[in-house]
Amino acid sequence: MKFLLIMHSNPQVWDSLTEEQRNEVMSGHGAFMETITRSGEMISTAALADPSQSAVVRVRRGSPVVTDGPYLEAKEFLGGYYLVECDSRERALELAALIPDAGVEGLGIEVRPVVFAGTADG
């Protein structure tokens, strides 16, 4: 089964951490990636830029309308994800608990089953 382990970010929470705590979270991702790569559960991962660098495209009356900034104004935003393949929801929850962000007060990891996935290769 495939699961998306979604890391939500909150700038207020992140900014409240010490530099040492932020470094610990960041370096913990390397260890996590090594763990799920070694177990064969890693499919892919991505870290996303700050929402201030995003744009939203909507087509209105046949023409695209582009708005700078995130889709929604919110305290929290999608910071990145891990796409994993594992035997069960319980294992996906175990993996989510290993992501360093899960241990930071005010942050969490959303675990969502993937019902369809495609690739450019087919």
Side-chain angles (χ1 to χ4, degrees):
M1 300 176 64
K2 290 183 178 136
F3 292 89
L4 196 61
L5 309 180
I6 305 167
M7 295 171 284
H8 294 280
S9 186
N10 182 323
Q12 291 176 331
V13 171
W14 187 254
D15 292 345
S16 72
L17 300 177
T18 66
E19 184 176 348
E20 182 180 340
Q21 290 170 316
R22 287 191 294 262
N23 289 337
E24 190 174 305
V25 169
M26 298 306 287
S27 66
H29 281 277
F32 178 71
M33 286 187 280
E34 186 177 312
T35 297
I36 62 175
T37 298
R38 193 172 45 247
S39 70
E41 295 168 305
M42 166 81 114
I43 295 174
S44 67
T45 185
L48 303 177
D50 187 87
S52 65
Q53 297 179 41
S54 66
V56 177
V57 178
R58 293 177 177 91
V59 177
R60 300 295 180 259
R61 296 185 190 124
S63 297
V65 178
V66 180
T67 307
D68 288 337
Y71 183 74
L72 296 173
E73 292 295 327
K75 289 183 208 172
E76 297 168 342
F77 60 88
L78 176 61
Y81 67 85
Y82 290 98
L83 180 60
V84 298
E85 186 160 7
C86 51
D87 293 331
S88 66
R89 178 180 187 269
E90 290 72 26
R91 177 59 179 160
L93 296 173
E94 289 173 10
L95 293 176
L98 295 175
I99 297 173
D101 306 53
V104 176
E105 188 69 37
L107 299 181
I109 308 300
E110 180 180 347
V111 177
R112 190 178 301 179
V114 175
V115 295
F116 173 80
T119 64
D121 297 336

